[in-house]
Each structure stands twice: as structure tokens, then as C-alpha cells.
Amino acid sequence: MAKKKVAAVVKIQIEAGKASPAPPVGTALGPHGIAIMDFVKAYNAKTEDKAGTVVPTEITIYEDRTFDFILKTPPASTLIRAAAGLEKAANNPGSEVAGSITPAQVKEIAEIKMPDLNANDIEAAMLQIEGTARSMGIEVG
């Protein structure tokens, strides 16, 4: 069987188990002519166990209007805010501290994010997570 030709790759972030044909899903997928409800049902079924977290998704749309999608790990900022117990990060990250997380929490987040990070080992991944936390006004230590 010949390989299908890719028409587009769409990346969107949707809360797990709560996809609907309304924006952002409808506006992202509508122009490509795929069956939006088929995607919504498949996405909600795959993410029902992760309820409450934002799950980035990479949707590959083929020329015959079929699609495949890959679930990514939640954004680092979401995981950091959850670990620090914060609703939102600092308004002025350079001069304001919103909260703090421990090195153990940084390692846990790095292990979760490892498949999607551009890091060779867990130490490099931890440095990336620490940098994200500092840019959000969250201390590590």
C-alpha cells in the first residue's frame, strides 16, 4: 500500500476529555475538511484518564481527509504551577516571586516531560525545567 500524502500538520492544546467542535478545535481543523466530530470523539476517549490537564496534540491530516494524532506531555508551565500549588505565575518574574518548588519536584516534572524535551539526560531536562520555573517567577530550592 502506498503511503498517504500529508496535507497539513496542526498543533493544538486542549483540556483532556473536553474537546468539542467549538473553537479552538473547529477553527483549527475545519479548513482542512476532516470530520471534526470523529477527532473530538477519538481525542476525548484517549484522554479521559488525564482529566483536568491540558494535553497538546499534533494532528497529521492526509490528502484523503483522514487524520492521525499524537498526544504530547502537558506543558512544563502547567506542571510547574501544579507542583507549586499556584493558579498563575508571577506578573513580574524578574522582581516578584510567586512560589517555589523543590529539586525533587523539578526531577519529577523533568521525567514526565522527557519524551518531548530536547535533552540527552535527566540532568539536562531538569535544567530546562528550572529555567522555565525561573522565567515564571518560581524559585527552585
Side-chain angles (χ1 to χ4, degrees), residues 6-141:
V6 175
V9 176
V10 178
K11 297 178 183 181
I12 51 177
Q13 294 185 6
I14 317 165
E15 193 168 331
K18 293 190 178 178
S20 70
V25 178
T27 54
L29 302 181
H32 300 289
I34 68 167
I36 296 170
M37 278 311 295
D38 290 346
F39 169 76
V40 167
K41 288 176 185 174
Y43 178 85
N44 288 339
K46 261 192 172 179
T47 60
E48 63 189 15
D49 60 326
K50 300 174 182 148
T53 59
V54 174
V55 180
T57 308
E58 189 173 288
I59 307 157
T60 305
I61 302 168
Y62 301 103
E63 285 183 345
D64 64 355
R65 295 188 178 174
T66 58
F67 64 90
D68 291 325
F69 65 96
I70 301 167
L71 300 178
K72 301 287 188 172
T73 56
S77 59
T78 304
L79 297 172
I80 292 167
R81 279 197 327 268
L86 298 171
E87 216 28 62
K88 63 181 210 138
N91 289 329
N92 302 317
S95 58
E96 182 183 323
V97 176
S100 64
I101 57 175
T102 64
Q105 289 172 312
V106 170
K107 185 172 184 175
E108 184 180 316
I109 294 168
E111 288 169 349
I112 292 168
K113 288 292 296 174
M114 194 65 185
D116 293 338
L117 290 177
N118 185 12
N120 292 330
D121 55 20
I122 195 70
E123 286 78 23
M126 287 174 65
L127 289 173
Q128 288 183 17
I129 300 301
E130 286 175 17
T132 302
R134 279 194 304 275
S135 73
M136 294 170 63
I138 297 174
E139 289 182 337
V140 177

